[in-house]
Amino acid sequence: MKNKIIIITIMLALSAIVCSGQSFLSRYPKLTKKNLSEFFLDWEAYSDSIASRAVKNDSLIDMVVADNYRPKELERRTCLSGKNAVPKYHVVPQYIDVERYYMDVDTTVFNPRYGFPNYYSELTDNEYRIDSIIPQLPYRGLYLTSDISETLSTFVGGCRNGDKIEKINKRNLKTLEKYIPLSGHGHWCGYWLFTSFPQITTICYANNLIAVKISKSWFCGEETWYIKDNGKFVRREKPAGEWIE
């Protein structure tokens, strides 16, 4: 009976992955050093297929994403193993949240830590909504999803399990860093960040202001503003808000 329950659980999990469009993950119930290169080829094919089907977004949104999120080449970085290396791929989230405010906002006063004015309270549906977009895929790009992140986390280890943090598989970590950037989440630990930096986390879009929230690393970030001037959105040279965790 116990074995039947386990089999049913696995089948349901695989069914959820297939339905979400990431059917290639079902071929890797356990990621290993032997099948890792094949996994990345499948991940790349999956990402290319999503990019080819992605529809054009609002032209202004596409413009600010391209302005902040289109690296032309991969940068050398210091790996967690202590060596400098250039990862093979650039990893971006498959979706970016867009907060749309159908109003003018005060661009002269803002919270120096968070930048964009907060207008969440007591807004009606015709004043505010939130949706998401699929960003354009950058050079040697891969789209990251929660299911893919979970697969990679299991391969590397070091994840939080209740009150304990599992042991990191250092050999797997060293191998994975050849393919993608890899960061532990600082002083909280217990999970990994697989996305490349800088990373757009949220875009706030108002009638007179577009604010792009960007993580520069796992512990710091900034906000770029595009203020409407004579009917056009003009980028402010200096960040409107910066933060450090």
Side-chain angles (χ1 to χ4, degrees):
M1 181 67 180
K2 185 177 180 181
N3 290 336
K4 288 184 177 179
I5 293 175
I6 293 175
I7 293 173
I8 291 173
T9 302
I10 293 174
M11 290 179 64
L12 289 173
L14 294 179
S15 176
I17 290 173
V18 171
C19 292
S20 68
Q22 301 160 70
S23 58
F24 78 94
L25 288 178
S26 64
R27 295 198 290 273
Y28 303 94
K30 183 176 181 180
L31 197 59
T32 67
K33 293 176 70 173
K34 290 184 178 180
N35 64 19
L36 190 62
S37 59
E38 184 180 354
F39 170 84
F40 272 96
L41 290 176
D42 284 345
W43 186 5
E44 185 175 8
Y46 164 78
S47 299
D48 290 342
S49 69
I50 295 297
S52 66
R53 298 197 305 267
V55 298
K56 286 288 185 179
N57 304 294
D58 181 295
S59 59
L60 286 172
I61 295 294
D62 286 339
M63 180 271 291
V64 299
V65 170
D67 196 23
N68 293 278
Y69 215 32
R70 293 297 300 276
K72 295 182 179 180
E73 60 184 18
L74 295 163
E75 296 183 357
R76 181 173 293 274
R77 65 187 299 274
T78 302
C79 298
L80 293 177
S81 54
K83 296 182 179 180
N84 289 331
V86 179
K88 186 175 182 179
Y89 295 100
H90 190 105
V91 183
V92 299
Q94 186 166 315
Y95 299 100
I96 297 176
D97 287 337
V98 179
E99 299 175 4
R100 301 180 188 271
Y101 297 85
Y102 303 104
M103 62 180 72
D104 288 338
V105 297
D106 188 351
T107 59
T108 62
V109 179
F110 62 88
N111 185 318
R113 178 171 173 80
Y114 297 109
F116 191 84
N118 291 320
Y119 286 92
Y120 291 104
S121 61
E122 300 180 3
L123 291 181
T124 61
D125 291 341
N126 62 344
E127 292 177 315
Y128 167 81
R129 71 181 175 91
I130 184 169
D131 55 34
S132 61
I133 64 167
I134 298 176
Q136 296 177 2
L137 203 60
Y139 172 73
R140 298 304 297 272
L142 298 173
Y143 286 127
L144 184 68
T145 67
S146 58
D147 291 326
I148 295 173
S149 180
E150 184 177 348
T151 298
L152 295 172
S153 296
T154 302
F155 176 70
V156 178
C159 298
R160 186 176 296 279
N161 185 2
D163 295 332
K164 296 182 179 180
I165 296 178
E166 300 171 350
K167 185 178 180 180
I168 295 174
N169 189 318
K170 294 184 179 180
R171 290 185 178 181
N172 287 355
L173 181 149
K174 186 176 181 181
T175 301
L176 187 59
E177 285 184 321
K178 296 176 182 178
Y179 292 90
I180 61 174
L182 185 61
S183 300
H185 200 285
H187 40 277
W188 285 292
C189 297
Y191 63 94
W192 299 97
L193 295 177
F194 299 111
T195 49
S196 305
F197 294 106
Q199 172 196 157
I200 296 177
T201 57
T202 309
I203 298 173
C204 300
Y205 189 176
N207 292 340
N208 62 328
L209 170 67
I210 300 175
V212 184
K213 298 184 179 183
I214 303 170
S215 291
K216 304 288 284 187
S217 71
W218 62 263
F219 65 89
C220 69
E222 63 185 29
E223 193 167 295
T224 299
W225 278 18
Y226 296 79
I227 300 176
K228 201 168 192 178
D229 184 21
N230 292 324
K232 294 183 178 181
F233 283 91
V234 180
R235 178 172 179 154
R236 178 183 283 183
E237 291 301 320
K238 293 184 178 181
E242 298 179 294
W243 54 265
I244 298 178
E245 293 184 355

Coordinates of all heavy atoms in Angstrom, one line a residue, residues 57-134:
N57 N 4.8 42.5 -25.8 CA 4.1 43.2 -24.7 C 3.9 44.7 -25.1 O 4.1 45.1 -26.2 CB 4.9 43.1 -23.4 CG 5.2 41.7 -23.0 OD1 4.3 40.9 -22.7 ND2 6.5 41.3 -23.0
D58 N 3.5 45.5 -24.1 CA 3.4 46.9 -24.3 C 4.8 47.4 -24.8 O 5.8 47.0 -24.3 CB 3.0 47.6 -23.0 CG 2.8 49.1 -23.1 OD1 3.9 49.7 -23.3 OD2 1.7 49.6 -22.9
S59 N 4.8 48.2 -25.8 CA 6.1 48.7 -26.4 C 6.9 49.4 -25.4 O 8.2 49.2 -25.4 CB 5.8 49.6 -27.6 OG 5.1 50.7 -27.2
L60 N 6.3 50.1 -24.5 CA 7.1 50.8 -23.4 C 7.7 49.8 -22.5 O 8.9 49.9 -22.1 CB 6.3 51.8 -22.6 CG 5.9 53.1 -23.4 CD1 4.9 53.9 -22.6 CD2 7.2 53.9 -23.6
I61 N 7.0 48.8 -22.1 CA 7.5 47.7 -21.2 C 8.6 47.0 -21.9 O 9.7 46.7 -21.3 CB 6.4 46.7 -20.8 CG1 5.3 47.4 -20.0 CG2 7.0 45.5 -20.1 CD1 5.8 47.9 -18.6
D62 N 8.5 46.7 -23.2 CA 9.5 46.0 -23.9 C 10.8 46.9 -24.0 O 11.9 46.4 -23.9 CB 9.1 45.7 -25.3 CG 8.1 44.5 -25.4 OD1 8.1 43.7 -24.4 OD2 7.3 44.4 -26.3
M63 N 10.6 48.2 -24.1 CA 11.7 49.1 -24.2 C 12.5 49.1 -22.9 O 13.7 49.0 -22.9 CB 11.2 50.5 -24.5 CG 12.3 51.6 -24.6 SD 12.7 52.4 -23.0 CE 11.2 53.4 -22.8
V64 N 11.8 49.2 -21.7 CA 12.6 49.3 -20.5 C 13.2 48.0 -20.1 O 14.3 48.0 -19.5 CB 11.6 49.8 -19.3 CG1 11.1 51.2 -19.6 CG2 10.5 48.9 -19.0
V65 N 12.6 46.9 -20.5 CA 13.2 45.6 -20.3 C 14.5 45.4 -21.1 O 15.5 45.0 -20.6 CB 12.2 44.4 -20.6 CG1 12.9 43.1 -20.5 CG2 11.1 44.4 -19.6
A66 N 14.4 45.8 -22.4 CA 15.6 45.7 -23.2 C 16.7 46.6 -22.7 O 17.9 46.3 -22.8 CB 15.2 46.0 -24.7
D67 N 16.3 47.8 -22.2 CA 17.2 48.8 -21.7 C 18.0 48.3 -20.5 O 19.1 48.7 -20.2 CB 16.5 50.1 -21.4 CG 17.4 51.3 -21.3 OD1 18.5 51.2 -21.9 OD2 17.0 52.3 -20.6
N68 N 17.4 47.4 -19.7 CA 18.0 47.0 -18.4 C 18.4 45.5 -18.4 O 19.0 45.1 -17.4 CB 17.0 47.3 -17.3 CG 16.8 48.8 -17.0 OD1 17.6 49.4 -16.4 ND2 15.7 49.3 -17.6
Y69 N 18.0 44.8 -19.4 CA 18.0 43.3 -19.2 C 18.5 42.5 -20.4 O 18.1 41.4 -20.5 CB 16.5 42.9 -18.9 CG 16.3 41.8 -17.9 CD1 17.2 41.6 -16.9 CD2 15.3 40.9 -18.1 CE1 17.0 40.6 -16.0 CE2 15.1 39.9 -17.1 CZ 16.0 39.7 -16.1 OH 15.8 38.7 -15.2
R70 N 19.3 43.1 -21.2 CA 19.7 42.4 -22.4 C 21.2 42.3 -22.5 O 21.9 43.0 -23.4 CB 19.2 43.1 -23.7 CG 17.7 43.0 -23.8 CD 17.2 41.5 -24.0 NE 17.8 40.9 -25.1 CZ 17.3 40.9 -26.4 NH1 16.2 41.7 -26.6 NH2 17.9 40.3 -27.3
P71 N 21.9 41.6 -21.7 CA 23.4 41.5 -21.8 C 23.8 40.9 -23.1 O 23.2 39.9 -23.6 CB 23.7 40.5 -20.6 CG 22.5 39.7 -20.4 CD 21.3 40.7 -20.7
K72 N 24.8 41.4 -23.7 CA 25.3 40.9 -25.0 C 26.3 39.8 -24.8 O 26.6 39.1 -25.8 CB 25.9 42.1 -25.8 CG 24.8 43.2 -26.2 CD 25.4 44.3 -27.0 CE 24.4 45.3 -27.4 NZ 25.0 46.4 -28.2
E73 N 26.9 39.7 -23.6 CA 27.8 38.7 -23.4 C 27.8 38.3 -21.9 O 27.3 39.0 -21.1 CB 29.2 39.1 -23.8 CG 29.7 40.3 -23.0 CD 31.1 40.8 -23.5 OE1 31.5 40.4 -24.6 OE2 31.7 41.5 -22.8
L74 N 28.3 37.1 -21.6 CA 28.3 36.6 -20.3 C 29.6 37.2 -19.6 O 30.6 37.3 -20.2 CB 28.3 35.1 -20.3 CG 27.1 34.4 -20.8 CD1 27.3 33.0 -21.2 CD2 25.9 34.5 -19.8
E75 N 29.4 37.5 -18.3 CA 30.5 38.1 -17.6 C 31.2 37.1 -16.7 O 30.6 36.2 -16.1 CB 29.9 39.3 -16.7 CG 29.3 40.5 -17.5 CD 28.9 41.6 -16.6 OE1 29.0 41.4 -15.4 OE2 28.4 42.6 -17.1
R76 N 32.5 37.4 -16.5 CA 33.2 36.5 -15.6 C 32.8 36.8 -14.2 O 32.6 38.0 -13.8 CB 34.7 36.8 -15.8 CG 35.6 36.0 -14.9 CD 37.1 36.2 -15.2 NE 37.4 35.7 -16.6 CZ 37.7 34.5 -16.8 NH1 37.8 33.6 -15.8 NH2 38.0 34.1 -18.0
R77 N 32.7 35.8 -13.4 CA 32.2 36.0 -12.0 C 33.0 35.1 -11.1 O 33.6 34.1 -11.5 CB 30.7 35.8 -11.8 CG 30.4 34.3 -12.1 CD 28.9 34.1 -12.1 NE 28.3 34.5 -10.8 CZ 28.2 33.6 -9.8 NH1 28.7 32.4 -9.9 NH2 27.6 34.0 -8.7
T78 N 33.0 35.5 -9.8 CA 33.6 34.6 -8.8 C 32.6 33.6 -8.3 O 31.6 33.9 -7.8 CB 34.1 35.5 -7.6 OG1 35.0 36.5 -8.0 CG2 34.8 34.6 -6.5
C79 N 33.0 32.3 -8.5 CA 32.1 31.3 -8.1 C 32.1 31.0 -6.6 O 33.1 31.5 -5.9 CB 32.5 30.0 -8.8 SG 32.4 30.1 -10.6
L80 N 31.2 30.3 -6.1 CA 31.1 30.0 -4.6 C 32.3 29.1 -4.3 O 32.8 29.1 -3.1 CB 29.8 29.3 -4.3 CG 28.6 30.2 -4.4 CD1 27.3 29.3 -4.0 CD2 28.6 31.3 -3.4
S81 N 32.8 28.4 -5.3 CA 34.0 27.5 -5.0 C 35.3 28.3 -5.0 O 36.4 27.8 -4.7 CB 34.1 26.5 -6.1 OG 34.1 27.1 -7.4
G82 N 35.2 29.6 -5.2 CA 36.4 30.5 -5.0 C 37.1 30.8 -6.3 O 38.0 31.7 -6.3
K83 N 36.7 30.2 -7.4 CA 37.4 30.4 -8.7 C 36.6 31.4 -9.6 O 35.4 31.5 -9.5 CB 37.6 29.1 -9.4 CG 38.5 28.1 -8.7 CD 38.6 26.8 -9.6 CE 39.5 25.8 -8.9 NZ 39.7 24.6 -9.7
N84 N 37.4 32.1 -10.4 CA 36.7 33.0 -11.4 C 36.4 32.2 -12.7 O 37.2 31.4 -13.1 CB 37.6 34.2 -11.8 CG 37.8 35.1 -10.6 OD1 36.9 35.3 -9.8 ND2 38.9 35.8 -10.6
A85 N 35.2 32.4 -13.1 CA 34.8 31.6 -14.3 C 33.6 32.3 -15.0 O 33.0 33.2 -14.5 CB 34.3 30.2 -13.9
V86 N 33.4 32.0 -16.3 CA 32.3 32.5 -17.1 C 31.3 31.4 -17.3 O 31.6 30.4 -17.9 CB 32.8 33.0 -18.5 CG1 31.6 33.5 -19.3 CG2 33.9 34.1 -18.3
P87 N 30.1 31.5 -16.7 CA 29.1 30.4 -16.9 C 28.7 30.3 -18.3 O 28.8 31.3 -19.1 CB 28.0 30.9 -15.9 CG 28.2 32.3 -15.8 CD 29.6 32.6 -15.9
K88 N 28.2 29.2 -18.7 CA 27.8 28.9 -20.1 C 26.5 29.7 -20.4 O 26.3 30.1 -21.6 CB 27.6 27.4 -20.3 CG 27.4 27.1 -21.8 CD 27.4 25.5 -21.9 CE 27.1 25.2 -23.4 NZ 27.1 23.7 -23.6
Y89 N 25.6 29.8 -19.4 CA 24.3 30.4 -19.7 C 24.0 31.6 -18.8 O 24.6 31.8 -17.8 CB 23.2 29.3 -19.5 CG 23.3 28.1 -20.4 CD1 23.8 26.9 -20.0 CD2 22.7 28.2 -21.7 CE1 23.9 25.8 -20.8 CE2 22.8 27.1 -22.5 CZ 23.3 25.9 -22.1 OH 23.4 24.9 -22.9
H90 N 23.0 32.4 -19.3 CA 22.5 33.5 -18.6 C 21.1 33.2 -18.2 O 20.3 32.8 -19.1 CB 22.5 34.8 -19.4 CG 22.2 36.0 -18.7 ND1 23.2 37.0 -18.4 CD2 21.0 36.5 -18.2 CE1 22.6 38.0 -17.7 NE2 21.3 37.7 -17.6
V91 N 20.7 33.2 -16.9 CA 19.5 32.7 -16.4 C 18.6 33.9 -16.0 O 19.0 34.7 -15.2 CB 19.6 31.7 -15.2 CG1 18.3 31.2 -14.8 CG2 20.6 30.6 -15.6
V92 N 17.3 33.9 -16.5 CA 16.4 34.9 -16.1 C 15.0 34.3 -15.7 O 14.7 33.2 -16.2 CB 16.1 35.9 -17.3 CG1 17.4 36.6 -17.7 CG2 15.5 35.2 -18.5
P93 N 14.3 34.9 -14.8 CA 13.0 34.4 -14.5 C 12.1 34.3 -15.7 O 12.1 35.2 -16.6 CB 12.4 35.4 -13.4 CG 13.6 36.1 -12.9 CD 14.6 36.1 -14.1
Q94 N 11.2 33.3 -15.8 CA 10.3 33.3 -17.0 C 9.3 34.4 -16.9 O 8.8 34.8 -18.0 CB 9.6 31.9 -17.0 CG 8.8 31.7 -18.2 CD 8.4 30.2 -18.4 OE1 9.2 29.3 -18.3 NE2 7.2 30.0 -18.8
Y95 N 9.0 34.9 -15.8 CA 8.0 35.9 -15.7 C 8.5 37.1 -14.8 O 9.2 36.9 -13.8 CB 6.7 35.4 -15.0 CG 6.0 34.3 -15.8 CD1 6.2 32.9 -15.4 CD2 5.3 34.5 -16.9 CE1 5.6 31.9 -16.1 CE2 4.7 33.5 -17.6 CZ 4.8 32.2 -17.2 OH 4.3 31.2 -17.9
I96 N 8.1 38.3 -15.2 CA 8.4 39.5 -14.5 C 7.0 40.1 -14.1 O 6.2 40.3 -15.0 CB 9.2 40.5 -15.3 CG1 10.6 39.9 -15.6 CG2 9.4 41.8 -14.5 CD1 11.4 40.8 -16.5
D97 N 6.8 40.4 -12.8 CA 5.6 41.1 -12.4 C 5.5 42.5 -12.9 O 6.6 43.2 -12.8 CB 5.5 41.1 -10.9 CG 5.2 39.7 -10.3 OD1 4.6 38.9 -11.1 OD2 5.4 39.4 -9.2
V98 N 4.4 42.9 -13.3 CA 4.1 44.3 -13.7 C 3.0 44.9 -12.9 O 1.8 44.3 -13.0 CB 3.8 44.5 -15.2 CG1 3.6 45.9 -15.6 CG2 5.0 43.9 -16.0
E99 N 3.2 45.9 -12.1 CA 2.2 46.6 -11.3 C 1.7 47.8 -12.2 O 2.5 48.7 -12.4 CB 2.7 47.0 -10.0 CG 3.1 45.8 -9.1 CD 3.8 46.3 -7.8 OE1 3.8 47.6 -7.6 OE2 4.2 45.5 -7.0
R100 N 0.5 47.8 -12.5 CA -0.1 48.9 -13.4 C -1.0 49.8 -12.6 O -2.0 49.4 -12.0 CB -0.8 48.3 -14.6 CG 0.0 47.4 -15.4 CD -0.7 46.8 -16.6 NE 0.0 45.8 -17.3 CZ 0.8 46.0 -18.4 NH1 1.0 47.3 -18.8 NH2 1.5 45.0 -19.0
Y101 N -0.6 51.1 -12.5 CA -1.3 52.1 -11.8 C -1.9 53.1 -12.8 O -1.2 53.7 -13.5 CB -0.4 52.9 -10.8 CG 0.2 52.0 -9.8 CD1 1.3 51.3 -10.0 CD2 -0.4 51.9 -8.5 CE1 1.9 50.5 -9.0 CE2 0.2 51.1 -7.5 CZ 1.3 50.4 -7.8 OH 1.9 49.6 -6.8
Y102 N -3.2 53.1 -12.9 CA -3.9 54.0 -13.9 C -4.1 55.4 -13.3 O -5.3 55.8 -13.0 CB -5.2 53.3 -14.3 CG -5.0 52.0 -14.9 CD1 -5.3 50.8 -14.2 CD2 -4.4 51.8 -16.2 CE1 -5.0 49.5 -14.7 CE2 -4.2 50.6 -16.7 CZ -4.5 49.4 -16.0 OH -4.2 48.2 -16.5
M103 N -3.0 56.0 -13.0 CA -3.1 57.3 -12.3 C -1.7 58.0 -12.4 O -0.7 57.4 -12.8 CB -3.4 57.1 -10.8 CG -2.4 56.3 -10.1 SD -2.7 56.1 -8.3 CE -4.1 54.9 -8.5
D104 N -1.7 59.3 -12.1 CA -0.4 60.0 -12.0 C 0.1 59.8 -10.6 O -0.7 59.7 -9.6 CB -0.5 61.5 -12.3 CG -0.8 61.8 -13.8 OD1 -0.4 60.9 -14.6 OD2 -1.3 62.8 -14.1
V105 N 1.4 59.7 -10.4 CA 2.0 59.5 -9.1 C 3.0 60.7 -8.9 O 3.5 61.3 -9.8 CB 2.8 58.2 -9.0 CG1 1.9 57.0 -9.1 CG2 3.9 58.1 -10.0
D106 N 3.2 61.0 -7.6 CA 4.1 62.1 -7.2 C 5.6 61.6 -7.3 O 6.1 60.8 -6.6 CB 3.8 62.5 -5.8 CG 4.5 63.7 -5.3 OD1 5.4 64.2 -6.1 OD2 4.2 64.3 -4.2
T107 N 6.2 62.2 -8.3 CA 7.6 61.8 -8.6 C 8.6 62.7 -7.8 O 9.8 62.5 -7.9 CB 8.0 62.0 -10.1 OG1 7.7 63.3 -10.5 CG2 7.1 61.0 -10.9
T108 N 8.1 63.6 -7.0 CA 9.0 64.5 -6.2 C 9.2 64.0 -4.8 O 10.2 64.4 -4.1 CB 8.4 65.9 -6.1 OG1 7.2 65.9 -5.4 CG2 8.2 66.5 -7.5
V109 N 8.4 63.1 -4.4 CA 8.5 62.5 -3.0 C 8.5 61.0 -3.2 O 7.6 60.4 -3.7 CB 7.4 62.9 -2.1 CG1 7.6 62.3 -0.7 CG2 7.4 64.4 -2.0
F110 N 9.5 60.3 -2.6 CA 9.5 58.8 -2.7 C 10.3 58.3 -1.5 O 11.1 59.0 -0.9 CB 10.1 58.3 -4.0 CG 11.6 58.7 -4.2 CD1 12.6 57.9 -3.7 CD2 11.9 59.8 -4.9 CE1 13.9 58.3 -3.8 CE2 13.3 60.2 -5.1 CZ 14.3 59.4 -4.5
N111 N 10.0 57.1 -1.1 CA 10.7 56.4 0.0 C 12.1 56.1 -0.5 O 12.3 55.4 -1.5 CB 10.0 55.1 0.3 CG 10.6 54.4 1.5 OD1 11.8 54.3 1.6 ND2 9.7 53.9 2.4
P112 N 13.2 56.7 0.1 CA 14.6 56.5 -0.3 C 15.0 55.0 -0.3 O 15.9 54.6 -1.0 CB 15.4 57.3 0.6 CG 14.6 57.4 1.9 CD 13.1 57.5 1.4
R113 N 14.3 54.1 0.4 CA 14.7 52.7 0.4 C 14.0 51.9 -0.7 O 14.6 51.1 -1.3 CB 14.3 52.1 1.8 CG 14.6 50.6 1.9 CD 14.5 50.1 3.3 NE 14.6 48.7 3.4 CZ 15.8 48.0 3.4 NH1 16.9 48.7 3.3 NH2 15.8 46.7 3.5
Y114 N 12.7 52.2 -0.9 CA 11.9 51.4 -1.9 C 11.6 52.2 -3.2 O 11.2 51.6 -4.1 CB 10.6 51.0 -1.2 CG 10.9 50.1 -0.1 CD1 10.6 50.5 1.2 CD2 11.4 48.8 -0.2 CE1 10.8 49.6 2.3 CE2 11.6 47.9 0.8 CZ 11.3 48.4 2.1 OH 11.6 47.6 3.2
G115 N 11.8 53.5 -3.2 CA 11.7 54.2 -4.5 C 10.2 54.5 -4.8 O 9.7 55.5 -4.4
F116 N 9.6 53.6 -5.6 CA 8.3 53.9 -6.1 C 7.3 54.1 -5.0 O 7.2 53.4 -4.0 CB 7.8 52.7 -7.0 CG 6.6 53.0 -7.8 CD1 6.7 53.7 -9.0 CD2 5.3 52.7 -7.3 CE1 5.5 53.9 -9.7 CE2 4.2 52.9 -8.0 CZ 4.3 53.6 -9.2
P117 N 6.4 55.2 -5.1 CA 5.4 55.5 -4.1 C 4.5 54.3 -3.9 O 4.1 53.6 -4.9 CB 4.7 56.7 -4.6 CG 5.6 57.3 -5.5 CD 6.4 56.2 -6.2
N118 N 4.1 54.0 -2.7 CA 3.2 52.8 -2.5 C 1.7 53.3 -2.6 O 1.3 54.2 -1.8 CB 3.5 52.2 -1.1 CG 4.8 51.5 -1.1 OD1 5.2 50.8 -2.1 ND2 5.5 51.6 0.0
Y119 N 1.0 52.7 -3.5 CA -0.4 53.1 -3.6 C -1.4 51.9 -3.5 O -2.4 51.9 -4.1 CB -0.6 53.8 -5.0 CG -0.1 55.2 -5.1 CD1 1.2 55.4 -5.6 CD2 -0.8 56.3 -4.7 CE1 1.7 56.7 -5.7 CE2 -0.3 57.6 -4.8 CZ 1.0 57.7 -5.3 OH 1.5 59.0 -5.4
Y120 N -0.9 50.9 -2.8 CA -1.7 49.7 -2.7 C -3.1 49.9 -2.0 O -4.1 49.3 -2.4 CB -1.0 48.6 -2.0 CG 0.2 48.1 -2.7 CD1 1.5 48.5 -2.4 CD2 0.1 47.2 -3.8 CE1 2.6 48.0 -3.0 CE2 1.2 46.7 -4.5 CZ 2.5 47.1 -4.1 OH 3.5 46.7 -4.8
S121 N -3.1 50.7 -1.0 CA -4.3 50.7 -0.1 C -5.5 51.4 -0.8 O -5.3 52.4 -1.5 CB -4.0 51.4 1.2 OG -3.6 52.7 0.9
E122 N -6.6 50.8 -0.7 CA -7.9 51.3 -1.1 C -8.0 51.7 -2.6 O -8.6 52.7 -3.0 CB -8.3 52.6 -0.3 CG -8.4 52.2 1.2 CD -8.7 53.4 2.1 OE1 -8.9 54.5 1.5 OE2 -8.8 53.3 3.3
L123 N -7.3 51.0 -3.5 CA -7.4 51.2 -4.9 C -8.5 50.3 -5.5 O -8.6 49.2 -5.1 CB -6.0 50.9 -5.6 CG -4.9 51.9 -5.2 CD1 -3.7 51.5 -6.0 CD2 -5.3 53.3 -5.6
T124 N -9.2 50.9 -6.5 CA -10.2 50.1 -7.2 C -9.6 49.4 -8.3 O -8.5 49.6 -8.7 CB -11.3 51.0 -7.6 OG1 -10.8 52.0 -8.6 CG2 -12.0 51.8 -6.5
D125 N -10.4 48.4 -8.9 CA -9.9 47.6 -10.0 C -9.5 48.5 -11.3 O -8.6 48.1 -12.0 CB -10.9 46.6 -10.5 CG -11.1 45.5 -9.4 OD1 -10.2 45.4 -8.6 OD2 -12.2 44.9 -9.4
N126 N -10.2 49.6 -11.4 CA -9.8 50.5 -12.6 C -8.7 51.4 -12.3 O -8.3 52.2 -13.1 CB -11.0 51.3 -13.1 CG -11.6 52.2 -12.0 OD1 -11.2 52.1 -10.8 ND2 -12.4 53.2 -12.4
E127 N -8.1 51.3 -11.1 CA -7.0 52.1 -10.7 C -5.7 51.3 -10.6 O -4.6 51.9 -10.7 CB -7.2 52.8 -9.3 CG -8.3 53.9 -9.4 CD -8.5 54.4 -8.0 OE1 -8.6 53.7 -7.0 OE2 -8.6 55.7 -7.9
Y128 N -5.8 50.0 -10.3 CA -4.6 49.2 -10.1 C -4.9 47.7 -10.5 O -5.9 47.2 -10.2 CB -4.2 49.3 -8.6 CG -3.1 48.3 -8.2 CD1 -1.8 48.5 -8.5 CD2 -3.5 47.1 -7.5 CE1 -0.8 47.6 -8.1 CE2 -2.6 46.2 -7.2 CZ -1.2 46.4 -7.5 OH -0.3 45.5 -7.1
R129 N -3.9 47.1 -11.1 CA -3.9 45.7 -11.3 C -2.5 45.2 -11.4 O -1.6 46.0 -11.7 CB -4.7 45.2 -12.5 CG -4.2 45.6 -13.8 CD -5.1 45.1 -14.9 NE -4.7 45.5 -16.2 CZ -3.9 44.8 -17.0 NH1 -3.5 43.6 -16.6 NH2 -3.5 45.2 -18.2
I130 N -2.3 43.9 -11.2 CA -0.9 43.3 -11.4 C -1.0 42.1 -12.3 O -1.9 41.3 -12.3 CB -0.4 42.9 -10.0 CG1 1.1 42.4 -10.2 CG2 -1.2 41.8 -9.3 CD1 1.8 42.2 -8.8
D131 N -0.1 42.1 -13.3 CA 0.0 40.9 -14.2 C 1.5 40.6 -14.3 O 2.3 41.1 -13.6 CB -0.7 41.2 -15.5 CG -0.2 42.5 -16.2 OD1 1.0 42.8 -16.0 OD2 -1.0 43.2 -16.8
S132 N 1.8 39.8 -15.3 CA 3.2 39.4 -15.6 C 3.5 39.3 -17.0 O 2.6 39.2 -17.9 CB 3.5 38.1 -14.9 OG 2.7 37.0 -15.4
I133 N 4.7 39.4 -17.4 CA 5.2 39.3 -18.8 C 6.3 38.3 -18.9 O 7.0 38.0 -17.9 CB 5.7 40.7 -19.3 CG1 6.9 41.2 -18.6 CG2 4.6 41.7 -19.3 CD1 7.7 42.3 -19.2
I134 N 6.5 37.8 -20.0 CA 7.7 37.0 -20.3 C 8.7 37.9 -21.0 O 8.5 38.4 -22.0 CB 7.3 35.8 -21.3 CG1 6.3 34.9 -20.6 CG2 8.6 35.0 -21.6 CD1 5.8 33.8 -21.5

